[in-house]
Structure formats: C-alpha cells, structure tokens
Amino acid sequence: MKYQVVIGLEVHTQLTTNTKIFCGCSTRFGAEPNSQTCPVCLGFPGALPVLNKQVVENAILAGLATNCSITQRNVFARKNYFYPDLPKGYQISQFDLPICQHGHLDIEVDGEQKRIGITRIHMEEDAGKLVHADIPGVDDSCVDLNRACTPLLEIVSEPDMRSPDEAIAYLKKLHQIVMYLGICDGNLEEGSFRCDANVSLMPVGSTVFGTRAELKNINSFKFIKQAIEYEIERQAEILDDGGKVIQETRLFDPNTGTTRSMRGKEEAHDYRYFPDPDLVPVLITDQWIEDVRATLPELPEAKRARYVAELGLPEYDAEVLVSSRELAQYYEETVALFPQAKTVSNWVMGEVSRALNEDNNRSITDCQVTPALLADLLKLMEKGTISGKIAKTVFDEMYKTGKAPEKIVEEKGLVQVSDTGAIEAMVDEVLNNNPAQVEQYRGGKETVFGFFVGQVMRASKGKANPAVVNELLLKKLNG
C-alpha cells in the first residue's frame, strides 16, 4: 500500500534572558553543575515563583513574527509528571490559554510554496539535565539543575507537513526567525533549539490520520530528517505486515540511524493540568503589544524581497546574505559606505565567507575586516590603485592583521602599474619571446589571447592594470 506521511512539530526554543523565568538565577550555559540554583528552581516548599517580564515580551515577539494572534489573558498551569530532573514534581507551563495562537509560516520546497499552520506558542520552564556516567560498568546518573526553570517557548505546528524536506524547511525558517528576533541563540548542540516530531502514516487518498509516534528531543536538522525517514519506513513495514502502530514516545539513536521506544505517549489528561495557584493571570494590553511590535526587526523574508527589489540583487545572493542577521547587517553597513550592491555581495559571499569558513567557521561578528575596511579595499580597486587579484591578496592580510588596506598596499609595494610605457615594454617582451603563439593568434586561434595576458601579469607580478594590458595586446596583435 502507498502511504502519505503526516508530520507535526513541537519546537522548544530556549530564550536568551539573563535570568530564569520564575527566579533570579543566571541562565549562563556551562557553569559548574547545580551552581545556578535557588529554592524556587529547586522546588523547595514555600518558595514562590515570580514571572520574568522579558519572557512575556519575547513570547509576544515570536507570536507577531509568526503571524499569531496574542492572547491577552494568559494563565500558567501545572503539568504534573515525575522525572528525576524535575524537582517540583510538576512543570509550570500553559494549557488552555497559551500566549500565542493560530499563526503560520510559509515555506518553499522544490520551488513550491506551502503554508504551515502554528497551533500555539506557550511559555514554560525547562527541566534540569541528567548526566549519565560514561564509565564501563557504572550505571549511575547525576542531576544538574542549572537548566531547571530556564525559560522556554514551545512552538507547536499543525500536522501540515507531508515530507521530511517540508519539516526541515519549516524548522530552518523558524530557527532563522527566532535568531533574527534575538530571543534565542539557536545553538542546537547546547539544546537551545530542539524538536519533537510527531509522525504518522495514512493511506494515500485518505483524510483520516494514522496513529502517531513522537520522536523526542532531537537537536540537529540532519538527525531530525534521518529520524523522520526511519520512522516512515518503520511504520510502513508494520502496516504492510497487518500490524498496528502504537502511540508512543521514541528516541532517535544517531549512531544507528534508528528509533527505539522510550515510553507510551501521554495524552493531556495524563498530566492533570490545573491553574498554578502561585501565579496570577498575565493581562497583556493592546498598548503593550504595540510597544513590542515597534521593536520587531526587519525579518528575513522582507529583507530578502527588499534586496531583490531595491538593490537589484539576484534571488540567490539575497537568500545567502539574509541567512543570518549578523551577515545581513555586515553587508548593509558595507553597501552604505561603498554603494555598489552586487560588488559588495560578491565579496561578502566570496572572500569574506571563504576566510571565515577556513577559520573554523568563525562568526562574522569576530571578523577583523570590518565593513569600513572592506569598503576602503573596494574603493582602492575601483580607483585602479590595485587590481582585483591584488585586492584578494590584500584582503587575506587584512583578515590576519586587521590593518587598513592602504597601509598594506604601501608596505608591500602592491600599487597597480598603469603606466603605459612600463606595461608596453612587458607586452613587447612577451610577444617577442612567444612567436609561435603570436602566429597561432593571428591565424585565428583567439583563445591563446589569455596566455599572453597571463604572461604579462606574471612579468608584472600581478601589478599591471589588466585593462591596459588587454588594450596594448589587442593593439599590437591586431596591428
């Protein structure tokens, strides 16, 4: 039988607030275990939570950026379950009154647009972390509660995705948005952005969803795709053999590329939600929403459209440049100083990105070649002070040292030679030394022209003005 996959995603986005959602403990990653805790996040009796206002504003930002309506009366609820890294025995979350509802994101896969619905976005606290002993024969686990009470947004999609590629396109767009908003650092390895995927199959042509399995806590786009692909195969085999898919939570093992059962999948009633008596409802006014809306940055989709319409960039260039907010900012600051949009795009996507990638994927924010320095380099090239080839050599030195391009050109004697007399002497020497190639060119083999250009540039150590070289060669060869 042919099956259609149905995919819905639950994304946990860890917010970049300085302190936790219900207490004043730091959220800094990598601290000594259990060093960033207090009676509130440890769940001591009598300790009372106090809501972090920044979490609410970050949630409103996320809702506005994903076309959600903002719920103006919010209620926190207790989600009751036991796990060793959950000291209170319940998680403070939201249930029937989440802060954001009924949104959507538009994705593109294989040239086709598709709208993915967003059911809800709600605020909640994270649990702690179990650290399992990596010692043969030792079956112990330690609990680190530094992460307990760290603020999360859970972003729940509608089951609108019909392929692993659609799921990844949705996740990458959502990841890009929360990073543009500055509400999440997007670090998948540290668990700042992680996903639960709900996967089910139904016969092609059917409208009745099959029984779903939840793939839990996957923090890599590559692994999410592998997990979904494996789960599709696993469920198809069960159905083809006449069996029934069990509703359960499964874990993905990246070493084997397979999923394994973790536990039966709970329903909402299993968690016995009820309003948290220690937290009053949060009332969000129209004015508060508009104040937050005023802080919204230009988002990737709008920025990409502007680059194409106003700057005349190709779609591909625009897509690459808006891939991160920092890269787009670097590009725009450079264009403001050297207003040749396509030239700047070529350099940012070319030399700048190459240098950063070769430097252990260094961030653009750490690049010693600032927008001002890059603009100065491009101006030298535009004035004819240096050639394009020499400019790349100068850029590499700028990247290593942070020096101004003018200083490097002066120190290394890299000024482009535009003196006609000096270049003409080199052209004459090249033509005199290569009579066979001259004869070939004059006999109609025009491709040999590049050979002459290369020989003159070599003789000038790359300093000869290419335009002057071309002009003199053509004059002498065709004269």
Side-chain angles (χ1 to χ4, degrees):
M1 184 177 290
K2 297 291 185 182
Y3 301 103
Q4 173 67 68
V5 64
V6 177
I7 304 167
L9 301 175
E10 301 170 14
V11 176
H12 293 88
T13 302
Q14 191 169 299
L15 301 180
T16 52
T17 55
N18 292 325
T19 56
K20 297 183 180 182
I21 184 170
F22 298 122
C23 66
C25 293
S26 171
T27 56
R28 182 173 62 88
F29 183 83
E32 286 293 315
N34 299 306
S35 63
Q36 295 175 174
T37 57
C38 72
V40 173
C41 50
L42 291 176
F44 283 16
L48 295 176
V50 177
L51 179 60
N52 184 336
K53 181 181 178 182
Q54 188 62 52
V55 173
V56 180
E57 295 188 340
N58 285 358
I60 296 172
L61 267 177
L64 295 174
T66 53
N67 308 290
C68 289
S69 60
I70 307 301
T71 306
Q72 294 190 267
R73 183 178 186 274
N74 283 259
V75 173
F76 282 97
R78 292 186 179 182
K79 180 181 180 180
N80 297 275
Y81 67 95
F82 172 77
Y83 209 69
D85 58 11
L86 192 71
K88 293 193 292 289
Y90 62 84
Q91 177 190 32
I92 302 177
S93 182
Q94 291 186 287
F95 181 48
D96 54 343
L97 289 172
I99 190 166
C100 310
Q101 300 183 75
H102 313 307
H104 67 265
L105 284 182
D106 294 327
I107 63 170
E108 184 175 321
V109 177
D110 296 331
E112 293 188 7
Q113 295 273 344
K114 182 170 183 178
R115 177 159 291 182
I116 307 300
I118 293 177
T119 310
R120 57 187 281 145
I121 301 175
H122 61 260
M123 302 173 284
E124 64 184 20
E125 62 180 343
D126 207 346
K129 181 180 179 180
L130 288 178
V131 182
H132 306 293
D134 191 19
I135 304 171
V138 177
D139 196 27
D140 294 340
S141 295
C142 299
V143 182
D144 179 6
L145 295 175
N146 282 345
R147 197 175 68 181
C149 213
T150 294
L152 292 179
L153 294 182
E154 182 170 343
I155 304 170
V156 182
S157 83
E158 292 288 332
D160 289 343
M161 287 153 274
R162 296 294 179 266
S163 72
D165 286 338
E166 288 184 5
I168 298 305
Y170 167 83
L171 284 172
K172 286 186 174 179
K173 185 160 190 178
L174 184 60
H175 182 261
Q176 187 181 50
I177 286 173
V178 296
M179 291 188 67
Y180 257 77
L181 295 175
I183 63 174
C184 176
D185 64 19
N187 192 316
L188 283 82
E189 290 183 0
E190 294 178 2
S192 301
F193 187 92
R194 54 192 192 267
C195 171
D196 300 343
N198 291 286
V199 180
S200 66
L201 297 182
M202 61 181 179
V204 170
S206 174
T207 57
V208 179
F209 292 171
T211 303
R212 75 185 188 278
E214 180 186 45
L215 311 178
K216 194 74 174 171
N217 276 341
I218 312 174
N219 61 350
S220 154
F221 295 131
K222 176 184 175 182
F223 293 157
I224 291 165
K225 185 175 182 181
Q226 288 179 353
I228 293 173
E229 288 173 341
Y230 174 81
E231 192 60 23
I232 292 170
E233 291 181 10
R234 186 188 73 86
Q235 292 188 22
E237 286 183 9
I238 292 172
L239 295 173
D240 285 344
D241 290 342
K244 290 186 177 181
V245 175
I246 299 171
Q247 183 166 316
E248 60 182 343
T249 298
R250 298 180 68 85
L251 294 177
F252 176 69
D253 185 344
N255 295 317
T256 63
T258 61
T259 64
R260 57 181 173 82
S261 181
M262 178 186 180
R263 61 172 182 261
K265 173 60 181 169
E266 298 88 349
E267 298 287 0
H269 63 261
D270 294 318
Y271 292 115
R272 305 184 313 284
Y273 284 98
F274 64 88
D276 192 304
D278 293 334
L279 289 162
V280 296
V282 179
L283 303 179
I284 300 174
T285 64
D286 291 338
Q287 185 59 53
W288 194 2
I289 294 172
E290 292 311 308
D291 288 345
V292 173
R293 191 190 304 276
T295 68
L296 269 172
E298 184 181 34
L299 293 174
E301 201 165 292
K303 193 180 288 288
R304 181 171 54 250
R306 178 169 63 84
Y307 284 5
V308 173
E310 297 181 12
L311 300 180
L313 291 181
E315 288 276 0
Y316 175 78
D317 290 37
E319 184 75 33
V320 172
L321 293 170
V322 305
S323 60
S324 80
R325 185 176 180 178
E326 294 78 15
L327 185 64
Q329 182 176 342
Y330 183 96
Y331 170 73
E332 291 185 23
E333 289 179 10
T334 307
V335 169
L337 298 168
F338 186 79
Q340 293 186 24
K342 179 56 178 169
T343 299
V344 175
S345 172
N346 291 342
W347 274 79
V348 172
M349 295 194 305
E351 296 307 303
V352 175
S353 295
R354 173 192 58 79
L356 293 169
N357 291 339
E358 291 175 356
D359 193 10
N360 295 316
N361 292 316
R362 194 180 186 91
S363 169
I364 189 73
T365 56
D366 298 326
C367 182
Q368 291 199 81
V369 183
T370 63
L373 287 176
L374 180 59
D376 288 344
L377 176 65
L378 298 179
K379 288 173 185 175
L380 288 179
M381 194 169 62
E382 182 187 37
K383 289 188 294 185
T385 305
I386 57 175
S387 66
K389 182 177 180 181
I390 292 295
K392 293 180 180 181
T393 301
V394 174
F395 175 84
D396 287 340
E397 187 67 19
M398 291 167 64
Y399 186 85
K400 294 174 187 174
T401 65
K403 289 182 180 179
E406 298 89 344
K407 188 170 184 180
I408 294 170
V409 169
E410 181 183 349
E411 289 176 350
K412 295 186 176 291
L414 297 174
V415 175
Q416 179 168 265
V417 177
S418 296
D419 176 54
T420 305
I423 296 176
E424 187 171 13
M426 287 183 270
V427 168
D428 288 340
E429 183 179 356
V430 168
L431 295 180
N432 290 334
N433 291 339
N434 298 279
Q437 285 80 4
V438 171
E439 198 63 34
Q440 288 175 357
Y441 178 83
R442 288 175 174 162
K445 190 177 180 181
E446 295 185 357
T447 53
V448 81
F449 185 81
F451 166 77
F452 295 124
V453 174
Q455 291 299 306
V456 175
M457 295 306 293
R458 181 181 297 174
S460 69
K461 297 181 179 177
K463 297 180 187 177
N465 187 320
V468 177
V469 172
N470 285 348
E471 180 184 347
L472 289 173
L473 279 169
L474 287 170
K475 180 179 177 182
K476 290 181 179 289
L477 287 167
N478 298 326

